[in-house]
Amino acid sequence: MNKTKIPLSPGFECLVPAKNGLKPRRVGIIQRMSLVARLIALALVLGMFALDLQAQVAPETPAYDPNNDPRIDRRPHPNAPRSAAPETLLPFGGAANALVPPPDNPVFLAFAAWIQKYRLAGDAQKANLLNEGVTLAKTRRAALQELIKSNPKRALEWAISYQNRVLLPPTVLEQLEIRVSGCSQYSVLISMPGLSNSPAPNDPLSKNTPPAGFGPGRRRQLLMRYATINRKRYQAFVYGWRRGLLTKENIPLQGVAVDDLLAVADNPARILEEGEMVPANAVIGNPDRKCPLCGADYPAKKEAATDKEAATDVDKQPVIAQLGNIYYYFDSQAHLRQVEGRLIRKLSVIGPQAGSTCDEPLDAVIQEIKEEIEKEGASKTGIGAGNNGAPAGDL
């Protein structure tokens, strides 16, 4: 048998040399393919058909948007900053720079979206989401450290709520900020270097550009704030009226901390969040659960104490608040704000002693409020409104 070249025809056929001197016959390419090749070709055709059918039948799954999920609790955080205090002057220098809220950091938004996915996921899905959550939490921790330094008010607004914390796994929780509250030794250190001099010729830093504010005949002051709470010392970052506050001893302080960085809230009291219980060994200022200001009973259930109007008015809802190291029951948030306003006024006294503002009962504070109400009349009961009676500074 002579070997001849097998040319392909336009009809996908080939000439196959015949045996025993017979004429070559035309055979289709499919017939020349082996059984395995035919099965592979058939699988490819069926796969392409299935993909095309799925694209036509299955609708596109919309992206998950937590803002449109009706199952998510969107009530405002009870300890979110709400002070509208005007900008104050720093005691020893120029005006404080206004804290302009920056755009929302995508790091915080990504972690917030992950929390909602984790809350709504099943047990099997939660296991798959764990590694992603740890990675996002670590990235958020570094971003929160910078936010505490640049905008402590915004850092407090991004703090994770108690209801979310109790649902998160320990590996994620250890990367989050912690709530700090109690009696504090608050210290403000002011550094004012002398007149700057030209660097020595052999100074290795002589080629560096001096920082802004330094130069021949110029001074720059530096304020460092520290708060010692529960025997731990934090570098404190404040906003609002607290920027005019100097060193004070034994004052109520609360905020959120990452490592040794503390964002201090302007409200002295920390309101217990939904579902949070008073510690078993805590000191309670009014164990009879009667409001310190008006004597009304704190209800066993908040729903039983709020009428239809009060249900939508945050100021009328009963709260449990931690002031320093003592817990108090208030029949309304408005009465707590009045007490806070009086405590803030007591911080305006000159010197480090601010009176009994932390670890002593509120009897003296309550008496001062009642006397002022009687003096000014019932129409001026909103003590501490606006800026909560914030001091403009110690000087």
Side-chain angles (χ1 to χ4, degrees):
M1 180 182 65
N2 297 329
K3 294 182 179 180
T4 59
K5 186 176 182 180
I6 304 176
L8 291 176
S9 66
F12 296 98
E13 295 179 342
C14 60
L15 294 175
V16 179
K19 299 179 181 179
N20 302 326
L22 298 177
K23 292 183 179 181
R25 56 190 177 88
R26 296 182 178 273
V27 180
I29 291 180
I30 298 299
Q31 295 175 346
R32 292 284 297 171
M33 294 172 62
S34 66
L35 179 60
V36 176
R38 293 180 186 182
L39 293 177
I40 294 176
L42 179 61
L44 290 175
V45 173
L46 293 178
M48 295 175 63
F49 177 76
L51 290 176
D52 182 66
L53 182 63
Q54 182 180 7
Q56 297 179 9
V57 177
E60 182 180 357
T61 303
Y64 175 75
D65 184 5
N67 294 323
N68 296 328
D69 195 329
R71 297 171 293 180
I72 297 176
D73 184 8
R74 294 183 176 84
R75 289 175 294 181
H77 195 283
N79 294 306
R82 55 175 52 86
S83 173
E87 293 299 320
T88 59
L89 296 179
L90 293 176
F92 286 99
N97 296 327
L99 291 176
V100 180
D104 286 334
N105 192 319
V107 173
F108 297 100
L109 294 175
F111 187 74
W114 178 88
I115 288 181
Q116 303 305 339
K117 287 194 300 182
Y118 188 85
R119 290 183 59 182
L120 303 175
D123 293 339
Q125 294 175 322
K126 286 182 178 181
N128 297 331
L129 291 171
L130 185 57
N131 291 336
E132 179 188 1
V134 173
T135 301
L136 290 174
K138 290 181 179 179
T139 306
R140 177 186 176 276
R141 183 183 182 89
L144 186 60
Q145 288 178 318
E146 297 302 321
L147 189 60
I148 289 176
K149 298 176 185 177
S150 61
N151 196 332
K153 181 178 180 181
R154 193 66 176 147
L156 288 162
E157 294 172 351
W158 277 114
I160 305 300
S161 67
Y162 175 81
Q163 289 182 323
N164 282 332
R165 283 179 175 273
V166 296
L167 299 177
L168 297 180
T171 52
V172 174
L173 284 175
E174 64 186 13
Q175 301 298 331
L176 302 182
E177 70 281 356
I178 62 172
R179 285 281 180 184
V180 177
S181 182
C183 292
S184 170
Q185 170 69 33
Y186 182 74
S187 304
V188 180
L189 307 180
I190 303 176
S191 172
M192 184 172 292
L195 293 175
S196 60
N197 299 320
S198 300
N202 58 351
D203 188 349
L205 302 178
S206 60
K207 295 182 180 180
N208 296 337
T209 303
F214 283 95
R218 301 184 66 181
R219 295 175 183 264
R220 188 177 72 172
Q221 60 184 13
L222 179 64
L223 271 68
M224 300 291 289
R225 300 175 175 88
Y226 296 93
T228 302
I229 305 177
N230 299 327
R231 299 182 180 181
K232 182 170 182 178
R233 191 169 186 251
Y234 301 91
Q235 184 177 356
F237 296 87
V238 300
Y239 62 93
W241 65 268
R242 285 195 186 273
R243 287 189 289 179
L245 185 66
L246 295 184
T247 298
K248 296 294 179 183
E249 296 179 357
N250 201 32
I251 63 173
L253 216 63
Q254 59 110 357
V256 296
V258 177
D259 296 332
D260 60 344
L261 304 178
L262 174 64
V264 180
D266 60 351
N267 300 107
R270 186 184 76 87
I271 299 177
L272 269 64
E273 303 177 43
E274 189 73 25
E276 187 178 3
M277 304 297 294
V278 178
N281 57 347
V283 178
I284 301 178
N286 52 342
D288 57 356
R289 298 193 176 188
K290 294 183 179 295
C291 179
L293 191 59
C294 68
D297 292 329
Y298 178 87
K301 295 183 178 180
K302 292 186 178 182
E303 294 80 2
T306 55
D307 54 19
K308 185 176 181 180
E309 179 184 358
T312 58
D313 191 346
V314 177
D315 288 339
K316 293 184 179 180
Q317 295 181 0
V319 293
I320 305 174
Q322 179 186 2
L323 274 164
N325 296 329
I326 305 179
Y327 291 80
Y328 294 92
Y329 293 85
F330 287 87
D331 72 318
S332 68
Q333 226 180 106
H335 286 168
L336 170 62
R337 298 304 174 200
Q338 285 185 268
V339 173
E340 283 187 310
R342 173 56 59 178
L343 292 177
I344 293 174
R345 288 189 184 186
K346 295 174 74 67
L347 297 177
S348 62
V349 299
I350 299 177
Q353 300 293 337
S356 57
T357 62
C358 189
D359 53 359
E360 295 183 10
L362 294 176
D363 297 345
V365 175
I366 297 301
Q367 185 61 31
E368 291 178 6
I369 295 176
K370 292 181 178 180
E371 291 177 358
E372 185 167 339
I373 292 175
E374 294 177 357
K375 182 178 179 181
E376 297 182 1
S379 62
K380 298 182 180 181
T381 57
I383 301 174
N387 65 344
N388 287 339
D394 283 7
L395 297 183

